[in-house]
Amino acid sequence: MESGSADGTNMRDTILVTGGCGFIGSNFILQRMQADATSVVNLDKLTYAGNPRNLESIANNGRYEFVHGDIGDRTAVRQLLTRHEPRAIVHFAAESHVDRSIHGPDDFIRTNVDGTFALLEEARAYWSGFPEQDRQRFRFLHVSTDEVYGSLGPNDPPFRETTQYAPNSPYAASKAASDHLVRAYHHTYGLPTLTTNCSNNYGPFQFPEKLIPLMILHARDGKPLPVYGDGKNVRDWLYVEDHCEAIAAVLRNGRASETYNIGGWNEKPNIEIVETVCDLLDEMTPSGKDSRRSLITFVKDRPGHDRRYAMDGRKIERELGWKPKETFESGIRKTVRWYLEHEEWVRDVTSGGYRQWIAMHYSS
Ligand code: NAD
Ligand code: TYD
């Protein structure tokens, strides 16, 4: 088997992506396959959130390979690293839904903490065997969230890379733990790590348990739109393709061991997001009846619900020249249209596990 590349490195122009069948991972892979000549190996366990159909369009591309497996399976990870000799690992795989973490945190600890630990251990063993030149070039990029910083008051400045961690949900705590492990693997062993902490994403392929796709599909179908609490919790929304470009920029030029906050400079209360979705559906698929806004139903709040998130993205802009391209107005319009035009995808993901979850979650 051919090994090495023209510039003398033993690593190939291949990246190992974990969790690439999920929302952000599949957008990232599709974008990268278009943007450059890198090969991608995608390791995904295919939990309820993983949908290989997201990557149907590249399934036969010689630069793409899907491997069904768990990041916690160290033998499988070791074999993959030895076989593909990647120059980087981009680690998306996680349990990612706060509400699920409240009802059943076990999987969050297993994948986000133990799984990340297993991946780091195998990455360290793989990387330790390199000659010095390759050791410096290798990257372990860990994709994380703004939720590790906890909740902001109405007048607090946005989260910076130096903001103290204060995770409030089991999801946020599991991601914070994984961030700390990544940090320690650089500090202790010298593994060239990068960590990105990003705000709420929206766009194509997002599983309809999260706010925006859930509201689009409920509004389309004339179902109640469950807004938690008073609807005034604030999130900083970023279009997913912007997030993927930010990750690519960090992978290319980020300084090893650094963390980069990524956000949309786009803080909005939930109720405003839901009203916007309603108005877009009224415009794109007029129902002839009342506005979809009449479907808005305030429901019991999420326990421990963080009030406000906002990201200070000045470091990544200053160091790497990245800032979001999409405005919220254009991004949300594209997103609503995408869900309306991808009925088959929606049918696929809303059958099975998703329905059971909804039944369990909303039965009370
Ligand atoms: P997602 O839930 O849509 O996808 C997660 C993917 O990981 C799925 O394909 C799933 O099958 C896979 N996976 C889960 N456990 C696995 C395991 N043990 N081994 C291998 N694969 C496994 O998540 P997402 O929204 O695409 O988020 C991706 C990453 O980005 C996560 O680490 C998340 O914490 C982070 N993040 C998400 C957001 C957001 O708004 N969605 C914002 C900031 C950061
Ligand atoms: P979500 O998409 O679950 O992301 P996160 O909790 O990671 O921020 O939720 C975004 C916001 O929307 C959050 O404040 C919770 C709220 N929300 C609702 O009001 N109703 C819903 O049905 C959902 C899923 C979320």
Side-chain angles (χ1 to χ4, degrees):
M1 204 157 42
E2 190 199 335
S3 186
S5 66
D7 60 2
T9 171
N10 289 311
M11 297 178 293
R12 298 179 193 196
D13 188 15
T14 297
I15 57 176
L16 173 62
V17 171
T18 71
C21 293
F23 163 48
I24 306 173
S26 46
N27 277 285
F28 178 78
I29 293 175
L30 291 172
Q31 189 184 81
R32 286 302 95 203
M33 293 297 288
Q34 284 236 317
D36 53 45
T38 302
S39 296
V40 173
V41 179
N42 171 17
L43 173 65
D44 197 299
K45 187 179 174 182
L46 298 183
T47 66
Y48 78 94
N51 184 353
R53 290 194 66 185
N54 297 356
L55 297 163
E56 230 169 15
S57 63
I58 55 161
N60 297 320
N61 189 316
R63 288 193 288 121
Y64 172 71
E65 183 174 328
F66 170 65
V67 179
H68 183 200
D70 190 325
I71 54 166
D73 179 347
R74 290 185 53 172
T75 310
V77 171
R78 192 174 313 143
Q79 284 168 356
L80 269 186
L81 292 172
T82 312
R83 185 151 66 90
H84 293 283
E85 298 173 332
R87 62 175 168 83
I89 297 175
V90 183
H91 177 34
F92 293 95
E95 289 293 336
S96 70
H97 188 38
V98 174
D99 291 327
R100 283 182 191 258
S101 84
I102 294 168
H103 289 272
D106 305 52
D107 283 345
F108 288 73
I109 305 304
R110 205 168 296 124
T111 286
N112 302 1
V113 186
D114 296 344
T116 300
F117 166 67
L119 194 64
L120 280 165
E121 271 295 89
E122 289 308 320
R124 177 167 78 91
Y126 166 66
W127 162 86
S128 302
F130 291 162
E132 182 56 28
Q133 169 202 358
D134 288 350
R135 282 161 65 96
Q136 282 177 22
R137 296 165 88 150
F138 180 76
R139 291 289 182 270
F140 184 105
L141 192 156
H142 175 58
V143 180
S144 192
T145 167
D146 57 359
E147 307 200 18
V148 298
Y149 297 119
S151 188
L152 291 168
N155 300 314
D156 289 339
F159 300 127
R160 303 187 61 178
E161 289 79 2
T162 48
T163 302
Q164 194 176 335
Y165 273 32
N168 288 322
S169 70
Y171 164 63
S174 68
K175 291 297 290 187
S178 64
D179 293 7
H180 290 322
L181 281 168
V182 170
R183 176 192 155 87
Y185 270 64
H186 174 76
H187 190 82
T188 305
Y189 305 113
L191 186 72
T193 59
L194 296 160
T195 299
T196 55
N197 293 85
C198 188
S199 61
N200 285 64
N201 284 213
Y202 68 99
F205 300 118
Q206 187 166 31
F207 193 81
E209 64 186 350
K210 305 275 168 69
L211 181 73
I212 288 181
L214 184 122
M215 294 299 164
I216 295 172
L217 297 180
H218 278 216
R220 181 197 70 176
D221 298 341
K223 292 183 187 163
L225 307 176
V227 174
Y228 299 163
D230 62 3
K232 294 192 180 138
N233 299 67
V234 171
R235 298 291 183 264
D236 174 357
W237 293 96
L238 178 68
Y239 191 64
V240 64
E241 289 179 11
D242 275 328
H243 183 194
C244 294
E245 276 172 11
I247 293 169
V250 172
L251 187 60
R252 229 176 3 251
N253 292 322
R255 288 181 293 132
S257 89
E258 291 291 315
T259 69
Y260 293 90
N261 281 1
I262 303 168
W265 298 111
N266 179 44
E267 289 184 55
K268 296 215 183 291
N270 294 336
I271 188 67
E272 212 178 296
I273 299 284
V274 177
E275 287 173 351
T276 302
V277 166
C278 289
D279 296 349
L280 284 169
L281 275 152
D282 287 344
E283 178 199 313
M284 291 181 195
T285 60
S287 71
K289 290 188 260 163
D290 293 344
S291 156
R292 264 54 170 231
R293 286 189 186 207
S294 64
L295 298 168
I296 293 173
T297 312
F298 291 93
V299 299
K300 193 164 166 278
D301 208 354
R302 170 190 280 173
H305 195 177
D306 284 337
R307 194 65 175 167
R308 174 176 164 236
Y309 302 143
M311 277 305 216
D312 182 332
R314 281 178 297 176
K315 178 178 171 183
I316 188 170
E317 181 170 355
R318 192 176 59 245
E319 288 192 14
L320 306 178
W322 176 90
K323 59 179 187 207
K325 287 189 191 139
E326 198 76 49
T327 65
F328 185 69
E329 289 64 35
S330 60
I332 191 71
R333 187 170 275 280
K334 273 194 206 173
T335 304
V336 172
R337 194 170 294 290
W338 188 90
Y339 279 87
L340 294 178
E341 286 174 354
H342 289 78
E343 254 191 68
E344 202 187 323
W345 183 92
V346 169
R347 247 197 324 274
D348 211 31
V349 300
T350 51
S351 57
Y354 174 66
R355 279 182 192 282
Q356 284 161 22
W357 156 249
I358 289 289
M360 190 265 285
H361 190 57
Y362 291 113
S363 60
S364 58

